[in-house]
Amino acid sequence: MTPTRAPRRRLAGALLAGVALVVLGLAALAVVLIALGALVPGLGPLSGYATITVPGYGPTLVVVGLVVVLLALVVRLRLRRAGTVVAVLGGVGTVALGVVVGLVVSAAGQAGGSVDLVRAVDPHGGGSVPDGYPQYGTGPDGAPLHAAVYRPGGARGPVPVFVYVHGGGWVGGSELDNSADMRWFADQGRLVVSVGYTLATRDRPTWDLAGAQVACALAQVAALAPGQGGDPSRLVLSGDSAGGQLAVSVAYHAASGTQASACGGRVPVPRGVLVQYPAVDPAGAWEEGRVPGDPGNAARGFQEAYTGGTPEQVPDRYTAVAGVPAITPAAPPTLVLAPTDDELVPPDGVAAFVDAARATGVDATLVRIPYANHAYDIGGVSSLGNQVRRSVSQAWLGARGW
């Protein structure tokens, strides 16, 4: 080797190590910031982003952090001081994020669920095509209302019936949402039906319509379930966010005999209610709710579109769709999954609803999901959050034969 080539190679090696160290440093910093945002609430957008990221990609980032530490130790052989700093930074962030992920897994275990962390490292997406897509009614403008049906695979005898009401702030979403989860619940031995309803607009509030449509769908599902292999005596009504509000309202009012149906007739009382981050305190959400990552008051638009005004303008409507006023001792057993860092549906309102239900004698269970924000479960079918949602739900349903 000539004397001139050796310095050039050393220089090239140093430059390459420097570039690698910059990349590793940025990755280490990202892991640290996400861990910090999750562990320290109230850091604004950082905390909001972290509590969205942890349930979706927390285990993935722990693996990234471990790789960063290992590669930084290699680079440290050439750039000792800088490599040490990056390795320590990555190590601290990885340990902290690992603790956060561990606490989420622990919370799931305490609620009867479980998490496969190996699968959670690759939180892939996915979807499923329903086995049937019948029309069950029409909206006020004549638009068809559909239900997506997922039949159980290989089940023998009448199976439990799981009716799901989608979220979307009452203004968006579809009965075709969360199709992978609907298929999963069906594969556990249930007849699953996801129902649609008329979406609200600024010119057409649906506070007195959407619930009646869900009640109509519920009655039709109960009537048709035996022909599809379902057992209507083991019917559970479920929903997320706005759909959680509708599920609670319809089930609880059906139990007290006060729920109207858009297609008339008696509304069956579900055996159980299973909801996630339900908007059971719309007035509280109007006052305190925020769209994750948005410091403004965009969340108020959901409640105002649904009710047709603010809590001051139409207080009776907010009361009519709230959870606490619907509670009676006849309400069915209820499981509520609530992320502790929910920005859109404030956790205090959800907890107050569960406390009020318990005080009235309802078998109500609140499972808090730590370091998680609204819609914590939609990061991928095998994500940390979605595994928590599925496994805890399955444990609660399975223990009751539903």
Side-chain angles (χ1 to χ4, degrees):
M1 181 180 298
T2 63
T4 55
R5 287 185 177 180
R8 288 178 181 177
R9 290 196 173 187
R10 284 196 295 271
L11 178 60
L15 288 174
L16 183 60
V19 171
L21 205 57
V22 169
V23 173
L24 293 173
L26 291 174
L29 181 61
V31 172
V32 168
L33 290 176
I34 290 171
L36 180 65
L39 289 168
V40 182
L43 295 181
L46 177 60
S47 292
Y49 181 75
T51 51
I52 291 172
T53 303
V54 166
Y57 301 99
T60 309
L61 290 172
V62 170
V63 172
V64 169
L66 290 173
V67 172
V68 165
V69 172
L70 291 175
L71 293 179
L73 290 176
V74 172
V75 175
R76 181 176 177 272
L77 297 175
R78 185 175 289 271
L79 301 174
R80 186 177 184 84
R81 184 173 300 177
T84 299
V85 171
V86 172
V88 170
L89 182 66
V92 170
T94 301
V95 170
L97 193 55
V99 170
V100 170
V101 170
L103 291 173
V104 175
V105 173
S106 176
Q110 292 174 18
S114 61
V115 173
D116 183 340
L117 287 173
V118 174
R119 289 181 58 234
V121 171
D122 177 23
H124 57 276
S128 180
V129 178
D131 299 314
Y133 194 53
Q135 178 179 342
Y136 78 83
T138 57
D141 55 359
L145 298 173
H146 287 99
V149 180
Y150 303 82
R151 299 187 181 92
R156 295 182 179 180
V159 298
V161 182
F162 186 89
V163 178
Y164 175 76
V165 188
H166 68 82
W170 304 284
V171 300
S174 161
E175 64 278 359
L176 297 174
D177 292 350
N178 298 329
S179 59
D181 287 336
M182 298 302 101
R183 177 64 66 191
W184 184 87
F185 280 111
D187 288 344
Q188 309 311 304
R190 300 182 184 88
L191 175 63
V192 175
V193 183
S194 177
V195 301
Y197 51 90
T198 298
L199 300 178
T201 67
R202 284 287 186 177
D203 300 322
R204 185 184 61 193
T206 58
W207 67 276
D208 58 347
L209 174 63
Q213 292 174 339
V214 171
C216 170
L218 189 66
Q220 293 193 43
V221 169
L224 298 174
Q228 300 288 324
D231 180 0
S233 70
R234 293 186 290 163
L235 187 153
V236 172
L237 186 57
S238 179
D240 299 343
S241 196
Q245 178 272 319
L246 287 166
V248 166
S249 183
V250 170
Y252 279 37
H253 282 111
S256 62
T258 57
Q259 177 60 56
S261 169
C263 52
R266 175 182 170 275
V267 181
V269 180
R271 287 289 298 276
V273 176
L274 193 167
V275 291
Q276 290 196 115
Y277 33 84
V280 288
D281 180 20
W286 184 91
E287 184 65 34
E288 300 178 9
R290 298 289 185 272
V291 174
D294 181 0
N297 290 327
R300 291 182 173 179
F302 298 137
Q303 284 81 20
E304 291 175 12
Y306 185 46
T307 63
T310 68
E312 183 177 6
Q313 293 168 336
V314 289
D316 292 346
R317 296 181 182 181
Y318 278 79
T319 300
V321 300
V324 171
I327 298 171
T328 67
T334 303
L335 173 66
V336 179
L337 304 180
T340 58
D341 297 275
D342 197 326
E343 295 179 89
L344 187 60
V345 175
D348 288 347
V350 176
F353 161 73
V354 174
D355 289 343
R358 287 174 179 162
T360 310
V362 180
D363 177 9
T365 301
L366 175 64
V367 175
R368 300 178 186 270
I369 314 299
Y371 309 110
N373 209 321
H374 197 77
Y376 68 93
D377 57 306
I378 64 173
V381 296
S382 63
S383 68
L384 174 64
N386 201 38
Q387 287 194 54
V388 172
R389 177 261 178 93
R390 288 183 176 185
S391 62
V392 172
S393 298
Q394 175 64 17
W396 186 80
L397 292 166
R400 291 161 175 77
W402 302 335

